[in-house]
Amino acid sequence: MAGVLESIGYECTEDISDADLIVYNTCSIREKAENKVYSALGSQAKRKRMHMGDLKLVVAGCVAQQEGEQLLRRVPELDIVMGPQHANRIDQLLEQNRDGEQVLATEQIEIAEDITVPKRDSSLMAWINVIYGCNEKCTYCVVPNVRGQEQSRLAENIKTEMKMVADLGYKEVTLLGQNIDAYGRDLPGLAEDHSGRRAWTFTDLLKYVHDVEGIERIRFATSHPRYFTHRLIKACSELPKICEFFHIPFQSGDNDILREMKRGYTHQRYRTIIDTIRHFMPDASISGDAIVGFPGETEEQFERTVQLVRDIGFDRVNTAAYSPRPNTPAAEWENQIADIIKADRLNRLNRVVNEVALERAKRFENRELEVLVEGVNPRDPNQAFGRSSHNKLVYFDGDGETLKGKLVTVKIDEVRAYTLMGKMI
């Protein structure tokens, strides 16, 4: 959206009081996000009432898709409410709003290939969408309702965008999808080897884009255990640009809870995936997501999640207490867990997550790691920082401005749960 807006003459301002157009790009995974956007809109709506015509207000993203017309009724000062599929049409929607008529754009559409040059926050690392939407039906998740059905981009268009960012000097690309391993399921054709696979899978895409000159590292997120195949793991181990970092949400360590969530796998299946990754890439970093306090979760079921975290040895786990979301089955169930119990379980799980992360990080002590330098440590101008292939933040003495964009070798002499310290050699 920022790229589109700049192309029609808008400039970004750091001071919201100077803005002629305010866009709230929203997430609806948790209820807190919705509350924050309504709170933010309140003060800006008041400002608009005082200065009629001088300010345009837009709510974009998942809250916009979820709330739709209700947002326009609740905040009549809003000009545009637009779902995620309409992000690259914001210029057209502003044109529709020129006469002051409110615009609602939440209908499901086929996402056209976006030729707009996006505005990127980093000059080294680019994020590139490869698949939009999600076809899963997890009972707790609002995403399919707000992001729509899966739509895979054509492989040649993805590769073209990677070449563009490489020409601009980017060194690392992260391929993005809500369910990235499902890439290609909606594309036509079958594989020529008569295996029965689709003509394009995510494994095929990685092999196809791997040779883009100038791109030195490739990451991807987010994976789903249902589609994380042996073929994909083997390909990642064989393609040298693929980083040894895998984000694979598990959500729970209890099979009954996973069944109620409609996740489509067991904790045994998840463990097999991690074992296979570590068979091919013993140093690989593994991160995941976990939900505590899902409706009906017993203390014993919660403890199975804790045990899974200990057994796997995650480098990082993003944890959350279950939050009922509109239009999701689990939100309607009567066996909701009390907030005080959810908070207690979340705190207990987080303590274990941090302990495990520290223990896992110790494997890097006294090791030499290749680090892509991102710049100056904002807390210490005498230090540079960057990331290893394992997605570990690494800090070391050096001129971060001069070294930015370079791959350097750092010997690790201090290990923390989520960061490493060392010396450049």
Side-chain angles (χ1 to χ4, degrees), residues 171 216-217 370-373 387 403-409:
K171 302 294 186 184
E216 300 190 38
R217 286 181 172 180
E370 185 179 69
V371 175
L372 177 61
V373 182
R387 294 176 194 270
L403 293 171
K404 185 176 179 179
K406 291 182 169 58
L407 285 167
V408 302
T409 301

Side-chain angles (χ1 to χ4, degrees), residues 58-107:
V58 177
V59 176
C62 292
V63 170
Q65 185 73 30
Q66 174 183 292
E67 300 294 302
E69 192 173 347
Q70 182 177 335
L71 254 173
L72 295 176
R73 291 198 300 268
R74 185 167 170 179
V75 188
E77 293 81 8
L78 270 173
D79 294 282
I80 300 172
V81 171
M82 51 183 286
Q85 299 93 338
H86 298 267
N88 61 358
R89 296 184 59 241
I90 190 170
D91 53 340
Q92 301 169 39
L93 301 179
L94 285 167
E95 183 65 27
Q96 292 178 36
N97 175 251
R98 175 173 291 204
D99 296 327
E101 183 176 346
Q102 288 182 313
V103 176
L104 176 65
T106 54
E107 68 275 13

Side-chain angles (χ1 to χ4, degrees), residues 131 133-134 136 150 177-183 185 222 224 227:
I131 181 172
C134 179
E136 301 303 302
E150 291 168 358
Q178 191 68 39
N179 182 9
I180 200 164
D181 315 312
Y183 175 83
R185 288 198 301 181
T222 295
H224 193 298
Y227 307 105

Side-chain angles (χ1 to χ4, degrees), residues 66-318:
Q66 174 183 292
E67 300 294 302
E69 192 173 347
Q70 182 177 335
L71 254 173
L72 295 176
R73 291 198 300 268
R74 185 167 170 179
V75 188
E77 293 81 8
L78 270 173
D79 294 282
I80 300 172
V81 171
M82 51 183 286
Q85 299 93 338
H86 298 267
N88 61 358
R89 296 184 59 241
I90 190 170
D91 53 340
Q92 301 169 39
L93 301 179
L94 285 167
E95 183 65 27
Q96 292 178 36
N97 175 251
R98 175 173 291 204
D99 296 327
E101 183 176 346
Q102 288 182 313
V103 176
L104 176 65
T106 54
E107 68 275 13
Q108 297 292 327
I109 62 171
E110 182 175 346
I111 300 174
E113 185 61 33
D114 188 0
I115 60 172
T116 305
V117 177
K119 180 179 174 63
R120 304 185 192 273
D121 290 334
S122 170
S123 59
L124 291 176
M125 296 165 290
W127 300 68
I128 295 179
N129 283 308
V130 304
I131 181 172
Y132 302 96
C134 179
N135 289 1
E136 301 303 302
K137 302 296 180 184
C138 301
T139 56
Y140 57 85
C141 186
V142 73
V143 167
N145 297 330
V146 296
R147 304 287 296 201
Q149 294 291 296
E150 291 168 358
Q151 296 184 48
S152 302
R153 293 178 66 193
L154 296 178
E156 52 264 37
N157 292 337
I158 297 167
K159 191 169 190 175
T160 296
E161 186 171 355
M162 288 181 65
K163 288 179 179 178
M164 289 173 57
V165 299
D167 289 342
L168 292 171
Y170 288 82
K171 302 294 186 184
E172 180 178 298
V173 162
T174 300
L175 304 177
L176 293 176
Q178 191 68 39
N179 182 9
I180 200 164
D181 315 312
Y183 175 83
R185 288 198 301 181
D186 57 316
L187 296 178
L190 296 174
E192 294 180 356
D193 62 3
H194 306 293
S195 62
R197 291 193 306 270
R198 305 299 303 176
W200 283 99
T201 67
F202 186 56
T203 303
D204 299 310
L205 178 66
L206 288 180
K207 292 178 178 180
Y208 178 68
V209 302
H210 186 268
D211 64 352
V212 173
E213 190 174 346
I215 299 300
E216 300 190 38
R217 286 181 172 180
I218 300 173
R219 303 183 189 274
F220 58 88
T222 295
S223 296
H224 193 298
R226 191 203 294 257
Y227 307 105
F228 210 90
T229 65
H230 185 281
R231 181 170 177 259
L232 173 59
I233 295 168
K234 190 169 185 293
C236 289
S237 72
E238 294 170 346
L239 298 170
K241 292 183 182 180
I242 305 299
C243 290
E244 293 188 358
F245 169 72
F246 302 94
H247 180 65
I248 314 174
F250 59 96
Q251 307 302 4
S252 174
D254 180 81
N255 286 344
D256 290 336
I257 293 293
L258 290 170
R259 188 180 307 112
E260 291 296 310
M261 289 178 167
K262 290 194 174 178
R263 288 292 289 169
Y265 56 87
T266 62
H267 78 83
Q268 290 93 340
R269 164 64 181 153
Y270 189 89
R271 292 168 188 268
T272 297
I273 291 170
I274 305 307
D275 287 345
T276 306
I277 291 173
R278 288 180 173 157
H279 169 75
F280 285 100
M281 295 163 281
D283 258 353
S285 285
I286 310 293
S287 72
D289 296 345
I291 296 171
V292 301
F294 185 77
E297 182 188 64
T298 66
E299 177 66 19
E300 292 74 21
Q301 289 171 323
F302 165 71
E303 287 294 345
R304 292 188 186 106
T305 296
V306 174
Q307 191 60 49
L308 180 70
V309 171
R310 292 190 186 279
D311 292 346
I312 294 292
F314 287 94
D315 291 82
R316 180 183 293 271
V317 179
N318 304 316

